[in-house]
């Protein structure tokens, strides 16, 4: 029992340390805007820098909700009708990452292009 | 965040035993608004002396943008090999941080279970953690469990679950899983996947085959869950 207590204290301490890392303020995240209108994302192509976290702000101008979905980006988020939603993506290596609107997958489609930034 | 830290500390100070089947679902700290689902979950555990079976049927619904509720009917096979409805459970999942906003993602799950035949109860609270590393994700759950009732000793228990998953394809996401609690440490392969039927209608599956490694003797657990989301 003493050993188990010790093990679970260690696991608990691990969780505390991990949660403390969340308190560390990240550098300012770049923001990119997308508009969803008539069930189409505009722009449908967004280029972002490699290895940096960025914020996508999606404004849904349609009268029905949409769900931003991307297995490539590992994100899923509902954007309510007439509202905005924030989606944090990255840091990502260079490449192309597809996304789509789950409720209108035939029209609401887009791609995030991640490129190395040369100084 | 202060309350979260306090809760985790309390969780860590609780006693480290669990009476039931330690191997179960590894929870992810996410809730999607408007999500609704039916779920069937099966856990079967074979040791040298016993062959336990638990099944759950559940219905879940996101009641807020970051909170989902699920109710379960739980069936178990008893010592006479009869399978019967044995308990009911209510569960709430809370997405505490938005995915990707911080260094890691956090959630909370609260469960309350009552046995059908007797006034025996179980309440549990779990902290859910997930961190992305490229195309892989590390998920950890730490649970504090309280049992009490007419034929149960009142006691605190705890459980730990870990899953390290490779997001290979939506349908095939292999993983390694580790479980700890009640003198049990188990490890084994798992996989999960999702198949989109149409729009928000999708089938999700999740399975694992866990072998106990802390003691000699046979102790294998197979877990399987399938969800219909709509």
């Amino acid at each position: 029992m003493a050993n188990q207590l010790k093990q679970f204290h260690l696991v608990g301490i691990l969780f505390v340390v991990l949660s403390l890392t969340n308190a560390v303020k990240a550098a300012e995240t770049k923001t990119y805007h997308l508009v969803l209108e008539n069930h189409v994302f505009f722009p449908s192509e967004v280029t972002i820098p490699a290895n940096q976290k960025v914020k996508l702000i999606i404004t849904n101008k349609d009268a029905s909700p949409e769900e931003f979905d991307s297995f490539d980006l590992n994100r899923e988020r509902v954007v309510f009708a007439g509202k905005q939603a924030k989606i944090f993506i990255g840091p990502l290596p260079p490449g192309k990452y597809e996304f789509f609107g789950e409720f209108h997958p035939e029209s609401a489609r887009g791609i995030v292009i991640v490129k190395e930034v040369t100084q | 965040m202060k309350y979260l830290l306090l809760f985790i500390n309390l969780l860590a100070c609780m006693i480290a035993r669990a009476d039931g089947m330690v191997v179960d679902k590894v929870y992810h700290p996410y809730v999607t608004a408007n999500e609704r689902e039916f779920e069937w979950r099966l856990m079967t555990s074979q040791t040298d002396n016993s062959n336990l079976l638990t099944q759950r049927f559940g219905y879940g619904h996101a009641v807020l943008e970051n909170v989902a509720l699920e109710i379960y009917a739980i069936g178990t096979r008893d010592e006479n090999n009869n399978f019967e409805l044995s308990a009911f459970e209510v569960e709430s999942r809370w997405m505490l941080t938005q995915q990707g906003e911080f260094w890691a993602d956090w959630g909370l799950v609260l469960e309350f279970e009552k046995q059908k035949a007797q006034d025996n109860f179980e309440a549990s609270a779990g902290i859910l953690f997930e961190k992305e590393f490229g195309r892989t994700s590390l998920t950890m759950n730490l649970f504090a469990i309280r049992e009490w009732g007419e034929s149960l000793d009142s006691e605190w228990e705890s459980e730990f679950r870990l899953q390290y998953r490779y997001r290979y394809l939506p349908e095939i996401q292999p993983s390694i899983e580790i479980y700890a609690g009640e003198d049990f440490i188990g490890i084994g392969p798992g996989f999960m996947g999702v198949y989109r039927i149409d729009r928000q209608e999708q089938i999700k599956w999740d399975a694992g085959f866990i072998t106990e490694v802390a003691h000699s003797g046979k102790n294998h657990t197979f877990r399987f869950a399938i969800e219909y989301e709509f």
Side-chain angles (χ1 to χ4, degrees), chain B residues 4 7 11 27-28 31 41 56 66-72 89-96 107-113 122-128 141-145 156 161:
Chain B
L4 181 64
F7 175 80
L11 206 64
Y27 285 91
H28 301 268
V31 172
R41 219 187 286 182
R56 287 165 172 257
N66 61 339
V67 181
L69 287 180
E70 190 152 353
I71 50 169
Y72 296 97
E89 186 184 284
V90 181
E91 170 195 288
S92 67
R93 271 183 301 121
W94 300 65
M95 184 166 81
L96 298 179
L108 179 70
V109 62
L110 303 171
E111 297 168 342
F112 182 76
E113 181 184 319
E122 184 182 297
S124 64
I127 285 287
L128 317 178
N141 300 168
L142 182 63
F143 282 90
I145 302 157
W156 284 103
R161 305 172 192 167

Side-chain angles (χ1 to χ4, degrees), chain B residues 90-190:
Chain B
V90 181
E91 170 195 288
S92 67
R93 271 183 301 121
W94 300 65
M95 184 166 81
L96 298 179
T97 60
Q98 204 186 308
Q99 193 172 10
E101 185 171 6
F102 298 103
W103 183 81
D105 306 322
W106 294 87
L108 179 70
V109 62
L110 303 171
E111 297 168 342
F112 182 76
E113 181 184 319
K114 184 196 176 298
Q115 285 187 6
K116 180 173 161 262
Q118 289 179 302
D119 278 340
N120 290 333
F121 303 93
E122 184 182 297
S124 64
I127 285 287
L128 317 178
F129 164 95
E130 188 158 314
K131 169 71 182 161
E132 266 182 60
F133 298 97
R135 288 186 70 89
T136 64
S137 296
L138 173 69
T139 311
M140 296 192 289
N141 300 168
L142 182 63
F143 282 90
I145 302 157
R146 176 74 176 168
E147 280 186 353
W148 73 97
E150 60 177 278
S151 62
L152 278 178
D153 290 334
S154 296
E155 59 177 354
W156 284 103
E157 306 169 338
S158 62
E159 287 180 10
F160 174 69
R161 305 172 192 167
L162 179 150
Q163 180 189 67
Y164 185 57
R165 170 169 58 106
Y166 175 52
R167 301 189 313 275
Y168 174 55
L169 291 170
E171 297 83 4
I172 306 164
Q173 299 176 47
S175 62
I176 291 287
E177 296 182 353
I178 296 172
Y179 295 84
E182 193 194 2
D183 292 333
F184 177 98
I185 298 174
I187 185 166

Side-chain angles (χ1 to χ4, degrees), chain A residues 53-106:
Chain A
K53 183 190 287 189
V54 305
K55 180 162 62 177
L56 290 184
I57 295 186
I58 302 175
T59 306
N60 183 0
K61 291 190 171 177
D62 287 329
S64 59
E66 184 56 271
E67 188 172 322
F68 178 95
D69 198 321
S70 171
F71 179 75
D72 293 348
L73 296 166
N74 191 30
R75 294 291 181 270
E76 201 174 1
R77 186 160 172 84
V78 171
V79 192
F80 292 101
K83 303 277 184 197
Q84 285 189 332
K86 281 183 294 185
I87 296 165
F88 293 88
I89 56 174
L92 293 167
K96 291 182 175 179
Y97 300 81
E98 289 184 6
F99 63 85
F100 65 98
E102 199 175 87
F103 299 167
H104 302 91
E106 58 294 327

